[in-house]
Amino acid sequence: KDGAYGTVTIKANASFDAPVTLMSQNAKAAQFDSVLLAQATRNLVLRNLSIWPRDPAVGADYLIRSYDTTSGITLDGLDIRSELDAAAYMQWDAAKWEARKFSGVLLEGPRSLVTGSKLTGVYHGIMVAVDSQIINNVVEGFNGDAMRAFSRSTVRNNRVLNCVATNENHDDGFQSFQSDGVPVTDLVVDSNIIIEWVGSQDHPLRCSLQGIGLFDGPYDNLTVVNNLISVSHYHGISAYGARGARIINNTVVNIRGLVGTAPWIGIYPRKDGTPSTDVLVANNVAMSLQGTASTVDRVEFRNNSTIGTPSLVFENPAAFDYRPKTSSGFIDTADPTVAPAKDLLGQSRPGGKAPERGAYEVVRVKGKPVSGAMLLTQSPEVTTALPTSPAETTAKLSAGGSKWIVVPKTTQGVSP
């Protein structure tokens, strides 16, 4: 029922053979200060709840936390914030950020699903363990890493906005790393939008965000496709120690519109000097490409483009419209044999004679590309099919789930 329930602890050994759901009777009207899922919790779904500490002086390090013996946890359609007024984070100073240093979600057990949720004004955003999924969430206003995931996990259709800098953490839109010498395997990062900053350009706490940081390999069978990375740091998509990787149809652009090499897509050896092997970097658009093609190590760069001046090749970078102009050289020039069947917005490829380079496939009318102003708008729909959740095979987004997509102004209000 509606109301405030304080700090909620699911006692140890709350293990269920089939998913059990704890949800608001009315949309997000049940509010918890924080949630701790104790050891051995299994097959629990938290749905349509509000999670934020009522007392600004008291709170947990993690607003939702589980341990490594938990499994099959689903978080669906949650409103997670560091305080009730977290939407005002643009007015916070560094002291306020450090005082409200609550991370959103840490699920240390396998087979987790976080979907259709929004996190606001947090330190780290969503962190899951192996065999897990981060699908269709928004992380807005953060001063750590927005998302982390590891082996056999999928990170898809998420929106990351507005990173602030108040500490020594090197902030990432997404990060993954090996632990205790165990490689990260079968990680998929697909169709995410990571935008460093959409607020006032002279904000004193604006960070320089790293896009997709894969610094501590090895990474086996890695897939990074259809992502938009608009940041100012030089690491747009960087993989150190990839062993079997596909980096395909991503757009990596300098958010300040500057000419230069940053941010880039980079393929590097592991920190011990072991080279990356069996890597395909294809159909991407980036400020620059770093790394060396090698027939010996089977590292190939194919049908990529580097950006000179963003405003000359994209429709309207100042409005975060990174569809390619017809004069960009990106249209109909990608390799169709490796391009994903859908683009960042779920539109079919190819739309013309061949796919576009980068994350966006340009909409066409009577075979000709269509331009026009773009808007950031919300939709509860998913443009990429939601993979089956190991914890709840019938999991689907709540109607209130937020997903940021980019649609032409001329089709605003029409399902893309």
Side-chain angles (χ1 to χ4, degrees):
K1 294 196 177 277
D2 300 359
Y5 290 85
T7 297
V8 173
T9 300
I10 305 299
K11 297 292 187 179
N13 298 312
S15 179
F16 306 104
D17 292 333
V20 170
T21 299
L22 177 64
M23 65 183 292
S24 293
Q25 183 179 32
N26 298 304
K28 296 179 177 61
Q31 178 264 325
F32 299 166
D33 284 37
S34 63
V35 179
L36 174 63
L37 306 176
Q39 299 287 2
T41 302
R42 181 172 66 98
N43 279 346
L44 183 67
V45 180
L46 303 182
R47 177 170 289 137
N48 206 18
L49 302 164
S50 292
I51 313 292
W52 48 268
R54 288 169 296 165
D55 185 343
V58 179
D61 290 338
Y62 300 95
L63 298 174
I64 300 179
R65 169 75 186 269
S66 76
Y67 294 104
D68 57 359
T69 59
T70 61
S71 62
I73 305 300
T74 294
L75 309 181
D76 181 5
L78 305 186
D79 179 356
I80 302 170
R81 55 182 78 185
S82 56
E83 65 173 44
L84 174 61
D85 296 325
Y89 66 85
M90 285 288 190
Q91 283 72 56
W92 295 359
D93 59 15
K96 176 67 175 287
W97 273 103
E98 290 300 303
R100 309 301 295 150
K101 199 170 182 178
F102 301 132
S103 292
V105 173
L106 174 60
L107 301 179
E108 292 190 297
R111 300 187 302 282
S112 297
L113 168 65
V114 183
T115 184
S117 297
K118 183 171 184 178
L119 293 85
T120 310
V122 295
Y123 178 36
H124 297 307
I126 303 172
M127 297 168 283
V128 297
V130 299
D131 300 301
S132 295
Q133 300 169 81
I134 303 175
I135 307 288
N136 201 53
N137 304 282
V138 176
V139 180
E140 180 181 347
F142 63 101
N143 63 339
D145 295 337
M147 299 179 293
R148 294 177 179 174
F150 301 92
S151 291
R152 299 176 302 280
S153 294
T154 297
V155 180
R156 176 176 287 132
N157 277 353
N158 300 285
R159 306 298 178 253
V160 172
L161 307 167
N162 294 338
C163 168
V164 303
T166 64
N167 51 58
E168 297 301 316
N169 186 73
H170 294 96
D171 302 334
D172 294 89
F174 173 80
Q175 186 176 180
S176 184
F177 43 85
Q178 63 89 11
S179 179
D180 298 324
V182 178
V184 176
T185 63
D186 299 295
L187 174 65
V188 176
V189 184
D190 172 17
S191 300
N192 302 285
I193 292 179
I194 297 174
I195 299 180
E196 176 180 296
W197 194 255
V198 300
S200 171
Q201 298 301 297
D202 60 355
H203 195 289
L205 298 183
R206 173 177 176 173
C207 88
S208 178
L209 183 64
Q210 299 176 154
I212 296 175
L214 306 167
F215 303 120
D216 296 291
Y219 300 93
D220 293 338
N221 195 26
L222 171 69
T223 301
V224 181
V225 299
N226 277 340
N227 299 283
L228 168 64
I229 311 295
S230 180
V231 298
S232 61
H233 200 280
Y234 42 83
H235 289 300
I237 300 173
S238 292
Y240 287 70
R243 300 189 303 200
R246 299 169 70 252
I247 315 294
I248 297 176
N249 277 100
N250 301 282
T251 295
V252 177
V253 59
N254 189 292
I255 192 170
R256 299 179 185 269
L258 301 178
V259 175
T261 60
W264 58 55
I265 296 175
I267 304 298
Y268 303 96
R270 286 183 61 190
K271 292 180 178 180
D272 65 3
T274 304
S276 290
T277 57
D278 299 292
V279 177
L280 176 61
V281 180
N283 295 351
N284 300 286
V285 172
M287 301 304 294
S288 65
L289 301 170
Q290 305 289 324
T292 304
S294 169
T295 55
V296 174
D297 296 322
R298 300 168 301 283
V299 176
E300 180 181 1
F301 293 81
R302 182 195 308 171
N303 290 58
N304 301 288
S305 291
T306 55
I307 302 164
T309 304
S311 61
L312 296 181
V313 294
F314 296 118
E315 287 288 350
N316 189 359
F320 312 107
D321 179 357
Y322 296 111
R323 292 173 304 148
K325 289 182 176 180
T326 55
S327 59
S328 64
F330 306 159
I331 293 177
D332 292 342
T333 59
D335 183 347
T337 66
V338 296
K342 302 285 187 179
D343 78 344
L344 172 61
L345 301 182
Q347 301 172 133
S348 296
R349 281 194 181 101
K353 296 178 181 178
E356 272 71 275
R357 301 184 187 196
Y360 292 99
E361 191 72 7
V362 174
V363 175
R364 289 166 167 81
V365 175
K366 295 183 179 179
K368 295 182 179 181
V370 177
S371 63
M374 304 287 281
L375 298 172
L376 283 174
T377 184
Q378 282 186 305
S379 169
E381 299 178 352
V382 186
T383 55
T384 302
L386 181 66
T388 300
S389 164
E392 185 182 14
T393 57
T394 60
K396 57 184 178 180
L397 294 175
S398 65
S402 293
K403 185 177 85 66
W404 288 93
I405 62 174
V406 185
V407 298
K409 181 183 288 185
T410 54
T411 61
Q412 187 178 9
V414 179
S415 180

